[in-house]
Structure formats: structure tokens, C-alpha cells
């Protein structure tokens, strides 16, 4: 359960930073959901690989 909370917090933080940096600096407003999905996907893949 701790890993799920930490992964969710990391996805929210990275999404927020991606929103701020993507919109202001790179003119890429869709960066925040992309980064959040990448973070959660990597957490899922890592947890599945540890189960093997």
C-alpha cells in the first residue's frame, strides 16, 4: 500500500511540474498527463517484474 501511495504522489508531482514546465517553457500543454502516465506505467511494470 505504501508503494501505491508513493507512486500516486510521484505521478501528481511530476504531472504538476510537467504542466508548469511544459506550458510555460516548451509550449507543450499536454506534457503533464503524458508524464503522469509514464510514471504510473513504469511503477506497474516494475511491480510486475518483481513478482516473477
Amino acid at each position: 500500500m505504501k508503494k501505491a501511495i508513493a507512486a500516486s504522489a510521484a505521478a501528481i508531482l511530476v504531472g504538476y511540474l510537467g504542466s508548469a514546465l511544459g506550458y510555460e517553457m516548451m509550449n507543450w500543454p499536454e506534457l503533464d498527463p503524458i508524464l503522469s502516465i509514464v510514471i504510473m506505467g513504469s511503477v506497474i511494470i516494475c511491480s510486475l517484474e518483481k513478482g516473477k
Side-chain angles (χ1 to χ4, degrees), residues 15-28:
Y16 180 74
L17 292 175
S19 176
L21 295 175
Y23 188 71
E24 294 294 326
M25 298 178 108
M26 298 188 300
N27 196 20
W28 190 12

Side-chain angles (χ1 to χ4, degrees), residues 10-48:
I12 290 171
L13 180 66
V14 169
Y16 180 74
L17 292 175
S19 176
L21 295 175
Y23 188 71
E24 294 294 326
M25 298 178 108
M26 298 188 300
N27 196 20
W28 190 12
E30 296 88 12
L31 187 63
D32 53 335
I34 292 170
L35 290 177
S36 295
I37 291 168
V38 167
I39 293 292
M40 291 307 290
S42 66
V43 168
I44 291 170
I45 289 172
C46 288
S47 67
L48 288 175

